[in-house]
Amino acid sequence: MARTIQSLERAAAMLRLLAGGERRLGLSDIASSLGLAKGTAHGILRTLQQEGFVEQDEASGRYQLGAELLRLGNSYLDVHELRARALVWTDDLARSSGESVYLGVLHQQGVLIVHHVFRPDDSRQVLEVGAMQPLHSTALGKVLSAYDPVAHSEAAEAEREAFTPRTVTSMTGFESVLDLTRARGWGSDVEETWEGVASIAAPIHNRRRMPVGAVGVAGAVERVCKEGELRSDLIAAVRDCARSVSRDLGASRF
């Protein structure tokens, strides 16, 4: 059995203690409840406080859960709500487009695939839920970078690798791509990440009109493009899907 880290176990126990029972607890209460020396308990609380997981009331000196835990919890709920709300619409998009559909969210310096609908044919396919895609070259990544300031910063600070001769790697060129993405309301990737593959994506917004993810289709260039241009019917279908998911998340205008 793998060894556990005692300090992390104690911190987790402390957070659970603060999450239940009284709203605020003093140092002595926390230390005695967990069987810890006051000095040990205070050191853990100070670290949790610095990270925003715990807050201390100035008047009473008592401790309570911090805002950072709420943010992390909301992030977890947002992803699961996004995936749940998108299930029907992404299935419809796969059927109408005949292509694979991907739902992605920002994670660290990339796009995390949280839902994947297979292309509706009999070909052998690999489920890509949990896979990471780059921000600077994929349609999903460009959309997130164009609409989410955090994603934009991550893409700007990351190394923009040239996956193919078509990949835009300069910051000036990337900013131009994002300007075009915002102007059109959708993003694209034509052999910028994978040779022979093209994709189209559009942003999904929540009730606060904040970008929470992106949805897109991806497939062989010869199917996604027609006469050298991305198919207008696929662009319309992807945007309609994004709008439908956004509406289900409570967005009234986007």
Side-chain angles (χ1 to χ4, degrees):
M1 183 176 179
R3 294 178 61 188
T4 57
I5 300 175
Q6 188 180 55
S7 59
L8 292 180
E9 288 182 330
R10 289 173 170 174
M14 202 168 285
L15 292 174
R16 292 191 186 98
L17 179 65
L18 290 171
E22 295 182 29
R23 177 176 169 79
R24 293 173 180 164
L25 292 173
L27 175 60
S28 297
D29 298 324
I30 295 171
S32 61
S33 295
L34 299 179
L36 299 174
K38 281 188 179 182
T40 301
H42 184 256
I44 296 173
L45 284 167
R46 187 171 60 233
T47 302
L48 291 173
Q49 187 177 359
Q50 289 173 350
E51 296 299 325
F53 297 138
V54 164
E55 295 175 356
Q56 185 178 28
D57 180 65
E58 293 183 3
S60 66
R62 290 175 173 265
Y63 295 90
Q64 64 184 32
L65 294 179
E68 181 66 10
L69 278 177
L70 178 61
R71 187 189 71 80
L72 292 176
N74 283 340
S75 175
Y76 174 83
L77 292 173
D78 283 348
V79 169
H80 284 265
E81 183 181 10
L82 171 62
R83 186 164 49 198
R85 298 289 185 180
L87 289 176
V88 172
W89 301 112
T90 50
D91 283 348
D92 287 348
L93 179 58
R95 275 194 300 270
S96 65
S97 68
E99 300 296 344
S100 299
V101 176
Y102 297 89
L103 186 69
V105 299
L106 174 66
H107 180 66
Q108 297 177 350
Q109 291 186 326
V111 182
L112 174 66
I113 303 302
V114 296
H115 185 54
H116 173 201
V117 184
F118 284 161
R119 185 171 63 255
D121 60 19
D122 296 326
S123 63
R124 184 176 180 180
Q125 300 172 62
V126 177
L127 186 66
E128 295 187 44
V129 172
M132 293 291 293
Q133 294 186 3
L135 284 169
H136 70 284
S137 61
T138 62
L140 293 171
K142 292 174 189 177
V143 165
L144 291 174
S145 299
Y147 288 90
D148 184 342
V150 177
H152 179 273
S153 296
E154 296 286 2
E157 294 172 3
E159 180 182 352
R160 291 177 294 281
E161 182 180 350
F163 299 107
T164 76
R166 293 173 176 262
T167 309
V168 176
T169 58
S170 72
M171 196 61 213
T172 301
F174 184 58
E175 291 290 3
S176 296
V177 169
L178 298 188
D179 288 341
L180 179 60
T181 299
R182 283 185 286 266
R184 299 189 303 191
W186 54 274
S188 64
D189 165 13
V190 180
E191 295 188 285
E192 294 176 52
T193 310
W194 301 280
E195 296 280 2
V197 177
S199 59
I200 303 164
I204 295 171
H205 297 82
N206 63 13
R207 62 183 59 86
R208 298 185 297 276
R209 297 176 63 187
M210 297 293 292
V212 293
V215 63
V217 297
V221 172
E222 58 267 25
R223 295 195 307 267
V224 178
C225 297
K226 183 178 181 181
E227 298 179 353
E229 298 291 335
L230 290 161
R231 287 168 46 191
S232 59
D233 61 317
L234 285 183
I235 295 170
V238 170
R239 298 190 72 187
D240 284 345
C241 178
R243 291 189 188 103
S244 296
V245 179
S246 297
R247 279 195 293 270
D248 276 4
L249 288 172
S252 56
R253 294 178 61 191
F254 39 87

